[in-house]
Amino acid sequence: TMDASARVLERYNAKVFKNRKEHMLRINPDEAQQITANTRAIPGIMTNRGCCYAGCKGVVLGPIKDMVLITHGPVGCGFYSWGTRRNKARAEEGEPNFTQYCFTTDLQEPDIVFGGTKKLKAAIDEVMQLMNPKTIMIAATCPVGLIGDDIQAVATEAEQQYGIRCVAYNCEGYKGVSQSAGHHIANNGLMKRVIGTGSYEPASKYSINILGEYNIGGDGWEQERILRKIGYEVVSVFTGDGEIERIASSHKANLNLVQCHRSINYIAEMMKIKYGVDWLKVNFIGLEGTIESLRHMAAYFGDPALAQRTEEVIAEELAEVQDEMAAAKARLDGLTAALFVGGSRSHHYQGLLKELGVRTVLAGYEFGHRDDYEGREVIPDIKDDADSKNIEHITVEKDEKKYHAYLTQEEYDKLAALIPLEKYDGMIRDMDAGTFVVDDLNMYEADKFMEVLKPDMFFSGIKDKYALQKAGTLSRQLHSYDYSGPYAGFKGAVQFAKDVCLGYFTPAWHMVTPPWKTRATLQGTVGEK
Ligand code: CFM
Ligand code: HCA
């Protein structure tokens, strides 16, 4: 019998087959398995990926609330990235929250022909008059790179004219192969222009930053609630509900937590080299993930009182959620799921699902790199291709004045054997033998895997959700949480469990006949002959 991926691949012509085969594997714990990732999608194939601008503006910079972010490009780029990611933000006392606005230069045909910098300058003037922000950032979309507007010069000029911070990002949509390029570009800009410049002083020795947490549906708030309850000081969050001044002072914290490795590992690495701040991989999705992350943090700081408080909070929080989690598990036990999200979440949610008795049979990332699948130890073996060479790689050096190591080398080495310090093992190691991993899954493959593996639920995004639901399967969005959430931490786990139960047990699914049950839905070959 053919395995599921062979049945998915069988319709492809030789060229497409060869390409896509490398992006799929079936988990075999006895082998070191390698996957192809972070390469170009095949033209004509319905990839779920987004663009470089989406990764830079939409993902990493967008959630920072006290700055104005101008999209320099045609109006659609700004409009369609306006508020759709559900990165929640609440204004601080007397401070602005600009994330609810959409700022764009609305480039038109004459600007494409004659240049758009005039419009960009006018937009900055208008923003200064109306909003008077301390920081403006500019994100370029495709045509800006094609016509060659010098947005860096405009930013420098604005800094001189207004005495503000103005940072421009050449994150044109076509750069790189996905959103991932944009994460990298945004990380570089924050490192070069923001981190290390702030004057906020952490009050506690247990000061941390949460990196790669964007407060989708309030996830970051639930994490902060737990961390503060234990006694940590959250200096900054990158970048959910984020503030420039705190991000600028983040180098003073004693530990960086890395929630989403894919989007922010560059900053974690650079802050370690430049400022000596260690980073710890955490996962606040799922009860076990949350508890383990909290214990690792306590181990890092090494204070028995902090460790004791950690256990108290864990016990208190667990007591509050245990019954509801058990009730949900009783209803969901034995079901199977497929997960396809951009990066980290396809990995992080597997633990939470397992706690609810749901087994993951298929998982993949839109734009994860090999290290997100196989673990960071493969990073030295990853070949730089033309697309990744296109993205600036910056190197940083130790800042003698601001460098501060919390641990001695000896303490560090001892701890590194026990907790994931500067370590991420990737998704593959956590998956069961015989399950499937597919990188950059496309719509055809999603349909086909549904048919072959018949998972009870499929977690993904807005692009594929409705096609999957029309085929009679529950599909929940793991990007926007279908406008629910938070799903992180203790309270979030219960919210997730409730939403999955509500969705799965809706009678609608029994009334739908999948089209492939009554007729062949696809004939012929995918790709040219
Ligand atoms: Fe990280 Fe994210 Fe994700 Fe991501 Fe995204 Fe997102 Fe995502 Mo959508 S930063 S990789 S680029 S966890 S926006 S909050 S949900 S694809 S899995
Ligand atoms: C993005 C943002 C996105 C899209 C969500 C989706 C998000 O990649 O540009 O496709 O459902 O989380 O909002 O990932």
Side-chain angles (χ1 to χ4, degrees):
T1 59
M2 266 199 264
D3 88 1
S5 59
R7 287 179 62 188
V8 170
L9 290 163
E10 88 187 315
R11 290 267 179 187
Y12 285 142
N13 69 14
K15 212 170 136 188
V16 177
F17 178 92
K18 187 167 172 281
N19 177 304
R20 291 299 305 154
K21 193 176 183 309
E22 306 287 309
H23 293 265
M24 295 182 192
L25 59 83
R26 187 169 193 184
I27 298 285
N28 177 356
D30 302 329
E31 262 176 34
Q33 292 180 293
Q34 189 176 321
I35 195 161
T36 297
N38 191 35
T39 58
R40 282 185 196 186
I42 301 169
I45 276 193
M46 286 222 311
T47 171
N48 276 316
R49 282 175 170 175
C51 67
C52 178
Y53 160 79
C56 182
K57 186 273 181 185
V59 174
V60 178
L61 302 175
I64 304 173
K65 64 188 169 187
D66 56 348
M67 67 173 201
V68 164
L69 181 43
I70 302 175
T71 296
H72 187 39
V75 73
C77 303
F79 182 77
Y80 288 105
S81 56
W82 177 26
T84 48
R85 185 159 166 265
R86 296 198 68 238
N87 43 274
K88 294 193 169 195
R90 210 186 269 137
E92 302 294 320
E93 231 355 72
E95 293 290 326
N97 171 13
F98 293 121
T99 62
Q100 282 164 338
Y101 295 87
C102 173
F103 302 92
T104 172
T105 49
D106 177 23
L107 286 188
Q108 309 264 336
E109 230 168 71
D111 309 312
I112 304 294
V113 175
F114 298 107
T117 50
K118 251 204 211 144
K119 246 188 162 172
L120 181 57
K121 283 181 206 166
I124 293 171
D125 293 339
E126 198 180 334
V127 160
M128 289 310 297
Q129 275 162 28
L130 294 173
M131 312 274 183
N132 199 31
K134 293 193 201 86
T135 301
I136 293 180
M137 292 197 186
I138 301 159
T141 76
C142 293
V144 170
L146 301 177
I147 65 178
D149 277 357
D150 190 350
I151 61 169
Q152 303 297 339
V154 175
T156 308
E157 205 183 296
E159 293 202 323
Q160 286 155 0
Q161 185 180 348
Y162 291 111
I164 56 165
R165 175 176 0 229
C166 186
V167 190
Y169 294 83
N170 283 100
C171 56
E172 288 84 354
Y174 56 80
K175 290 224 172 122
V177 300
S178 68
Q179 293 94 312
S180 175
H183 303 151
H184 198 161
I185 290 168
N187 279 219
N188 287 349
L190 289 177
M191 196 66 203
K192 282 201 275 198
R193 295 298 319 279
V194 185
I195 299 165
T197 65
S199 55
Y200 174 79
E201 292 297 334
S204 164
K205 150 167 125 163
Y206 306 128
S207 55
I208 51 134
N209 303 304
I210 314 178
L211 269 54
E213 173 45 60
Y214 302 95
N215 202 31
I216 309 303
D219 274 358
W221 289 334
E222 168 67 359
Q223 290 164 35
E224 286 182 72
R225 180 187 71 78
I226 301 163
L227 294 171
R228 293 204 172 111
K229 192 170 168 187
I230 293 174
Y232 290 103
E233 176 179 0
V234 181
V235 176
S236 73
V237 182
F238 285 65
T239 52
D241 197 22
E243 292 162 80
I244 284 287
E245 179 55 21
R246 290 305 191 94
I247 290 172
S249 307
S250 60
H251 61 293
K252 297 178 191 175
N254 281 328
L255 179 65
N256 277 332
L257 307 181
V258 172
Q259 170 75 7
C260 172
H261 174 264
R262 179 65 269 132
S263 62
I264 208 102
N265 74 88
Y266 318 94
I267 284 178
E269 269 178 30
M270 289 188 281
M271 276 178 79
K272 164 80 185 189
I273 297 168
K274 191 167 179 185
Y275 303 113
V277 185
D278 291 324
W279 69 265
L280 178 70
K281 180 69 185 76
V282 293
N283 172 18
F284 288 109
I285 302 297
L287 301 181
E288 254 178 62
T290 302
I291 292 168
E292 196 178 52
S293 299
L294 295 175
R295 288 188 176 146
H296 288 165
M297 290 174 67
Y300 180 86
F301 285 105
D303 169 354
L306 186 74
Q308 195 196 328
R309 180 69 189 141
T310 301
E311 293 308 323
E312 278 165 20
V313 169
I314 291 172
E316 221 174 281
E317 294 285 329
L318 268 183
E320 252 180 78
V321 301
Q322 250 161 356
D323 290 353
E324 278 178 290
M325 289 298 280
K329 182 172 180 183
R331 302 185 76 197
L332 298 168
D333 206 18
L335 299 178
T336 59
L339 286 96
F340 184 67
V341 206
S344 322
R345 291 182 177 188
S346 301
H347 181 191
H348 289 162
Y349 277 81
Q350 291 189 30
L352 176 53
L353 285 166
K354 201 179 238 170
E355 288 163 22
L356 295 169
V358 180
R359 204 165 55 86
T360 300
V361 291
L362 166 72
Y365 302 130
E366 281 173 34
F367 50 73
H369 295 201
R370 272 185 61 206
D371 37 313
D372 303 299
Y373 289 104
E374 299 169 51
R376 279 181 69 85
E377 69 271 19
V378 304
I379 291 176
D381 306 331
I382 299 177
K383 287 191 292 288
D384 243 8
D385 57 17
D387 292 302
S388 29
K389 278 188 193 135
N390 233 343
I391 308 154
E392 188 190 13
H393 290 253
I394 60 172
T395 48
V396 294
E397 273 160 33
K398 184 171 177 176
D399 183 323
E400 295 292 350
K401 282 209 193 96
K402 295 175 186 158
Y403 194 93
H404 59 103
Y406 185 76
L407 302 176
T408 64
Q409 190 59 45
E410 202 183 328
E411 287 169 330
Y412 180 96
D413 293 340
K414 230 165 114 189
L415 267 175
L418 305 169
I419 64 175
L421 272 178
E422 293 179 79
K423 191 160 177 275
Y424 178 46
D425 282 340
M427 176 167 79
I428 285 179
R429 281 189 180 91
D430 280 340
M431 291 182 68
D432 294 339
T435 61
F436 291 89
V437 177
V438 181
D439 176 66
D440 188 19
L441 185 82
N442 57 59
M443 199 63 240
Y444 163 70
E445 290 167 6
D447 282 347
K448 198 71 190 171
F449 270 112
M450 288 296 296
E451 190 186 320
V452 180
L453 294 176
K454 300 185 176 61
D456 297 299
M457 55 195 84
F458 199 117
F459 294 94
S460 64
I462 194 79
K463 295 159 198 149
D464 38 0
K465 168 179 175 117
Y466 296 100
L468 298 162
Q469 284 199 166
K470 283 176 192 167
T473 310
L474 167 65
S475 180
R476 296 271 323 159
Q477 296 183 63
L478 274 194
H479 299 259
S480 67
Y481 299 161
D482 281 303
Y483 325 108
S484 178
Y487 285 166
F490 297 98
K491 300 212 158 117
V494 173
Q495 186 60 49
F496 179 78
K498 280 185 190 162
D499 289 347
V500 173
C501 282
L502 272 175
Y504 185 74
F505 292 102
T506 185
W509 311 124
H510 308 295
M511 298 171 187
V512 183
T513 308
W516 64 75
K517 289 221 167 136
T518 51
R519 64 190 159 85
T521 48
L522 189 76
Q523 274 148 7
T525 313
V526 181
E528 55 188 291
K529 281 273 182 207

